[in-house]
Amino acid sequence: KQEVTQIPAALSVPEGENLVLNCSFTDSAIYNLQWFRQDPGKGLTSLLLIQSSQREQTSGRLNASLDKSSGRSTLYIAASQPGDSATYLCAVSGNQFYFGTGTSLTVIP
Amino acid sequence: ETGVTQTPRHLVMGMTNKKSLKCEQHLGHNAMYWYKQSAKKPLELMFVYNFKEQTENNSVPSRFSPECPNSSHLFLHLHTLQPEDSALYLCASSQARDSSTDTQYFGPGTRLTVL
């Protein structure tokens, strides 16, 4: 069974800092990998989707990379802002969708 | 908010009650999903419907009963729940299953508390 792990579980950084969130998965047979954002008590919002044949995707200050062979993905957030504070989840799509437990990010003004 | 709506947003029920959660998507998608999100645990996929047909039931107890009358609507009927069923229940939709470009769109969730 696919297992998705996210490290760290929680992260607190000062505003303006660049940061990296990590995601690892055990089975490389995936269709794609997605990064989501979840605000407290809310649903998930898709940030980036990387297809299995791709290496990275960028959207604004966000950049996600995928290394299928090693089972790893990173989400890079540049120049962090207080509005980036949320829980970030990664999910891999194989025969079904598997989610990590998320990284709770706090950006301190 | 996305094009996926869920009602109610909050629900408190006793163990003997029967209630239903409703999900509606306005995105023209063909696949719909129910997830359970408990504290400190990964999202758990419960059910998947593809073109109104149930394609996955992830060993969910029978006290949870899904219904998908059409591609836009998904229900989760609840009966004789246990306190450990208290969680955030999320509905999602996507264009189709098994696509490398398939992005899921989530509703805001229903916060369920079972007393």
Side-chain angles (χ1 to χ4, degrees), chain A:
Chain A
K1 179 186 173 185
Q2 178 76 268
E3 291 186 10
V4 182
T5 304
Q6 290 187 247
I7 295 173
L11 182 63
S12 184
V13 300
E15 182 177 2
E17 195 163 292
N18 302 325
L19 57 100
V20 175
L21 307 181
N22 297 292
C23 173
S24 61
F25 48 96
T26 54
D27 186 350
S28 62
I30 62 172
Y31 288 115
N32 62 51
L33 182 144
Q34 286 186 254
W35 283 93
F36 292 88
R37 169 186 172 135
Q38 186 175 28
D39 292 286
K42 301 283 185 66
L44 280 65
T45 301
S46 180
L47 298 172
L48 291 165
L49 179 148
I50 311 175
Q51 297 178 36
S52 61
S53 59
Q54 297 175 324
R55 297 283 291 183
E56 66 177 336
Q57 283 288 330
T58 298
S59 176
R61 295 183 293 109
L62 306 180
N63 175 275
S65 68
L66 173 63
D67 184 342
K68 243 183 41 165
S69 60
S70 66
R72 294 176 189 272
S73 175
T74 61
L75 178 67
Y76 175 83
I77 302 177
S80 58
Q81 302 171 359
D84 295 330
S85 298
T87 296
Y88 291 81
L89 297 131
C90 74
V92 296
S93 173
N95 59 336
Q96 63 171 278
F97 292 94
Y98 296 90
F99 284 79
T101 50
T103 294
S104 177
L105 173 66
T106 302
V107 180
I108 304 165

Side-chain angles (χ1 to χ4, degrees), chain A residues 4 31-32 34 36 38 41-46 49-52 89 93-101, chain B residues 1 9 33 35 37 40-43 45 56 58 88 90 97-104 106-108 111:
Chain A
V4 182
Y31 288 115
N32 62 51
Q34 286 186 254
F36 292 88
Q38 186 175 28
K42 301 283 185 66
L44 280 65
T45 301
S46 180
L49 179 148
I50 311 175
Q51 297 178 36
S52 61
L89 297 131
S93 173
N95 59 336
Q96 63 171 278
F97 292 94
Y98 296 90
F99 284 79
T101 50
Chain B
E1 295 290 293
R9 296 292 306 275
Y33 312 78
Y35 287 92
Q37 187 176 36
K40 307 297 185 186
K41 294 175 70 175
L43 265 73
L45 180 66
E56 287 186 45
N58 218 16
L88 182 68
L90 292 163
R97 275 294 287 130
D98 296 336
S99 166
S100 65
T101 60
D102 212 21
T103 298
Q104 291 190 70
F106 283 79
R111 172 67 63 185

